[in-house]
Amino acid sequence: MIRVRRAWPGDADAVREVGLRTWPVAYRSLASPEFIVDGLAAWWSPEAVDRGIRQGITLIALDDEKVVGMVALGQEEGFWVMWKLYVLPQYQGKGVGKALLDGAIAALPAGTEQLLLDVLITNEPAIGFYRKHGFGTPRTTPARDLGDELMWMSLDLQFP
């Protein structure tokens, strides 16, 4: 049974392991080897993972006590952004990603109107997953220019 909970600093190694195992697989056919190496160094370093856990919202999915997926949220220019959502390859297609997404939405502050993410325009599996779960074209976004390789997606949230 999959359980989702907030990550603690002591979970940093397990969170990092999810990234190190999934990121190269996810981007192997979408990006250059240099992009993968640089991304692992920048976004999955021990320091980056620890900073994300301490400063943002990081949730982990557990199968028994094994970390099998993670999601990380933070703010950019007042917008809530989902920076990462990764599930170990052998757990994909089993509801772990949906459980993490549901947990991420529940962890947002009450009154949050939208959740943004940026995604490679060539990452059709991720785009399909996000569209299936209600993400579409955002009303507004941070000012950061994503260039030609990335696009913003958003989920409109309705809190009582």
Side-chain angles (χ1 to χ4, degrees):
M1 171 103 172
I2 299 299
R3 180 172 63 94
V4 174
R5 70 162 170 82
R6 187 123 186 199
W8 305 311
D11 295 316
D13 288 343
V15 169
R16 185 166 181 257
E17 183 66 20
V18 169
L20 294 177
R21 290 182 52 199
T22 60
W23 219 75
V25 174
Y27 295 104
R28 176 178 42 225
S29 63
L30 302 174
S32 69
E34 294 79 20
F35 175 88
I36 294 169
V37 168
D38 292 347
L40 288 172
W43 300 308
W44 295 100
S45 69
E47 298 79 17
V49 170
D50 183 67
R51 185 174 50 252
I53 291 171
R54 292 178 188 276
Q55 295 178 359
I57 297 171
T58 300
L59 304 175
I60 55 175
L62 299 127
D63 182 17
D64 290 322
E65 291 305 308
K66 178 183 178 187
V67 176
V68 299
M70 61 79 61
V71 62
L73 307 154
Q75 287 196 295
E76 181 175 344
E77 297 177 19
F79 293 90
W80 278 99
V81 180
M82 186 166 60
W83 300 116
K84 301 174 181 172
L85 191 158
Y86 292 97
V87 175
L88 292 176
Q90 64 270 32
Y91 285 87
Q92 292 176 9
K94 298 180 179 180
V96 178
K98 173 72 167 122
L100 284 164
L101 180 56
D102 289 346
I105 292 166
L108 292 169
T112 301
E113 295 182 9
Q114 74 174 338
L115 175 60
L116 294 170
L117 61 88
D118 62 19
V119 61
L120 280 172
I121 61 170
T122 56
N123 193 344
E124 293 175 19
I127 292 168
F129 172 83
Y130 295 127
R131 287 198 193 287
K132 175 181 174 183
H133 295 293
F135 282 80
T137 304
R139 294 182 312 266
T140 58
T141 64
R144 178 170 48 102
D145 180 12
L146 298 181
D148 295 334
E149 296 181 354
L150 294 169
M151 68 177 193
W152 288 110
M153 294 183 80
S154 75
L155 177 66
D156 287 329
L157 303 172
Q158 306 208 353
F159 285 92

